[in-house]
Amino acid sequence: MSDSLKGKVALVTGGSRGIGAAIARRLAADGASVAITYAKDASAAAAVVKAIEDAGGKAVAIQADAADTEAVRSAVEKAVATLGKLDVVVNNAGTAIPKLFEETTPEEMDRVIDINVRGVFITTQAALKHMKNNGRIIMIGSCVGERNLTPGLAAYSATKGAVKMFAQSLSREIGGRGITVNNVQPGPIDTDLNPAVGDWATPQKAVTALNRYGHVDEVAALVAFVASPESSYITGANLTVDGGTNA
Ligand code: NDP
């Protein structure tokens, strides 16, 4: 790890487990103070904060369902009030309800859209009020936002395609303020949401070029680079970390 984010403050939504927790730990290891949000599991969030603090870093956990506008807005304000400012936002909170599209209920569609798209809009808008030159907005999209090989992900893929176009479009609105907006697109990564073993995993693994699932730290490494000053001329980009799934 490095001190590339020394003095920076980062907010990672959905940072209590999986990819978001790995991102939070990595940004803290690179020197950032980190606020994480979570929806349900306070003890998992507290464990991430403790791991960061035990390693000498600074972190805070804030309960905020990404689908709840007021909760998201107050989480952003609390992060800024607690840590002093906001330099990096990682829109990681997201979910999938894998199901054939014709069997998907309107309520399930709403849930996926509300968390994966609306939550990203609300978080980003609230965060932008506090962001200044050299700010970094990072989406956690998905390789299926560009190309999907798996039945059962039609609605989810559509939300990640929306995230992709949101990142590209927003980069043009706020580039003049020196803020970059990028979309990191993971492939199959071993988490509670997408475990590396089981019937669901076999076809996903089979379409990777590397013939394996990815590790959360492999996504966090890319996010750490995009968050760092070294990525200063990258914006509006879709950066895929998918083991070659979309090759
Ligand atoms: P997990 O389900 O393993 O972890 C999700 C995290 O987000 C948890 O910290 C959870 O907290 C939090 N979270 C869930 N729902 C909400 C909500 N409504 N509001 C706030 N926080 C919430 O997911 P992953 O780590 O696998 O996925 C993270 C992101 O990466 C998602 O955007 C996903 O779409 C994307 N992604 C994942 C891939 C994979 O293969 N794993 C591939 C491509 C993209 P709590 O426990 O409290 O609910």
Side-chain angles (χ1 to χ4, degrees):
M1 307 308 122
S2 69
D3 61 0
S4 59
L5 295 174
K6 199 162 180 238
K8 304 282 188 190
V9 173
L11 169 67
V12 182
T13 66
S16 59
R17 293 183 289 113
I19 292 170
I23 292 169
R25 287 194 306 267
R26 175 60 195 259
L27 298 184
D30 285 354
S33 299
V34 180
I36 62 169
T37 66
Y38 64 97
K40 298 190 193 97
D41 193 344
S43 61
V48 172
V49 169
K50 184 166 187 310
I52 290 172
E53 288 173 347
D54 286 351
K58 190 168 180 188
V60 60
I62 304 164
Q63 200 269 336
D65 190 316
D68 180 337
T69 303
E70 284 318 310
V72 168
R73 286 181 178 158
S74 75
V76 170
E77 296 307 315
K78 189 168 173 191
V80 173
T82 308
L83 301 175
K85 59 176 183 159
L86 192 53
D87 301 293
V88 177
V89 175
V90 184
N91 279 302
N92 167 79
T95 199
I97 306 174
K99 239 179 183 189
L100 291 177
F101 182 67
E102 287 179 285
E103 294 164 9
T104 303
T105 67
E107 291 73 24
E108 289 166 338
M109 295 177 201
D110 285 345
R111 184 79 185 144
V112 175
I113 291 168
D114 284 352
I115 297 172
N116 295 7
V117 183
R118 194 173 181 286
V120 171
F121 289 174
I122 300 293
T123 304
T124 302
Q125 197 178 54
L128 274 171
K129 284 201 291 183
H130 299 281
M131 294 184 74
K132 300 199 165 64
N133 202 21
N134 299 322
R136 299 276 187 271
I137 296 175
I138 303 168
M139 317 298 173
I140 304 300
S142 170
C143 69
V144 304
E146 285 195 323
R147 183 163 181 257
N148 180 29
L149 305 162
T150 315
L153 289 179
Y156 174 77
S157 300
T159 66
K160 295 300 187 177
V163 165
K164 169 182 182 287
M165 280 316 303
F166 175 56
Q168 289 175 222
S169 306
L170 185 64
S171 71
R172 295 199 178 270
E173 287 193 22
I174 61 177
R177 286 162 60 187
I179 301 172
T180 67
V181 188
N182 291 292
N183 178 33
V184 167
Q185 303 187 126
I189 307 296
D190 186 14
T191 65
D192 296 340
L193 185 68
N194 190 4
V197 286
D199 291 350
W200 180 246
T202 304
Q204 293 186 72
K205 182 181 155 197
V207 296
T208 65
L210 295 176
N211 195 33
R212 68 172 176 87
Y213 260 52
H215 190 275
V216 290
D217 291 339
E218 294 176 308
V219 179
L222 177 56
V223 172
F225 170 71
V226 177
S228 78
E230 279 194 297
S231 72
S232 48
Y233 202 53
I234 302 174
T235 195
N238 300 295
L239 305 165
T240 302
V241 48
D242 71 349
T245 298
N246 284 2

